[in-house]
Amino acid sequence: MEVSQAIRSRRAVRDFTNAPVSVATLRQVIAAASWAPSAMNGQPWHFTVVTDAALLDRISDEAKAWALSNTPQLRQSDHFRDLLSDPAFHLLYNAPALIVISAPAEGPWAVEDCAVAAQNLMLAAVELGLGT
């Protein structure tokens, strides 16, 4: 797949299948992410993979509760408040895997470096027929 085709094909998925993602595939998209450029070649990112369904459910529940308590603009939006308050709503849309990209907070370009790595990861996922 051409990069330009991957860029045009990538979409935010809001309804995942429960088909597991192989370890080899997860490693492949993480490898693509690790090739992202970073400020001063710091490569500060860490990749944490979660595939345990019970843990993914817990992450969804705790993240919804946190967002409702800590994000004032969400509390003012009926749509988001109702969505995040719904026990049946899964914040991760029942994805079979979650890859968390993180970096030490003290890095001056941590957010930007992780965002570029995420873009590489998402484009590699498109090439492999995965949604993100």
Side-chain angles (χ1 to χ4, degrees):
M1 173 181 288
E2 297 281 331
V3 172
S4 59
Q5 182 183 359
I7 291 169
R8 289 190 303 274
S9 300
R10 201 208 71 71
R11 300 286 181 270
V13 174
R14 302 245 185 334
D15 186 20
F16 290 95
T17 69
N18 62 356
V21 181
S22 73
V23 171
T25 299
L26 292 168
R27 287 178 193 247
Q28 205 170 346
V29 296
I30 290 169
S34 71
W35 279 98
S38 60
M40 301 179 66
N41 200 27
Q43 302 176 20
W45 41 65
H46 302 278
F47 302 96
T48 303
V49 178
V50 180
T51 57
D52 179 82
L55 182 54
L56 290 167
D57 290 343
R58 182 175 156 207
I59 290 168
S60 173
D61 292 342
E62 291 184 18
K64 289 187 322 184
W66 184 91
L68 283 169
S69 299
N70 294 286
T71 313
Q73 62 268 33
L74 290 181
R75 288 195 301 268
Q76 296 167 3
S77 164
D78 290 342
H79 170 72
F80 286 116
R81 187 180 57 250
D82 292 347
L83 193 61
L84 294 172
S85 298
D86 180 357
F89 173 68
H90 198 281
L91 192 64
L92 305 173
Y93 298 98
N94 298 300
L98 170 67
I99 301 173
V100 177
I101 304 173
S102 60
E106 67 271 5
W109 305 108
V111 171
E112 292 81 358
D113 288 340
C114 289
V116 176
Q119 182 69 30
N120 272 21
L121 185 144
M122 289 185 280
L123 292 174
V126 167
E127 181 183 34
L128 296 170
L130 298 175
T132 60

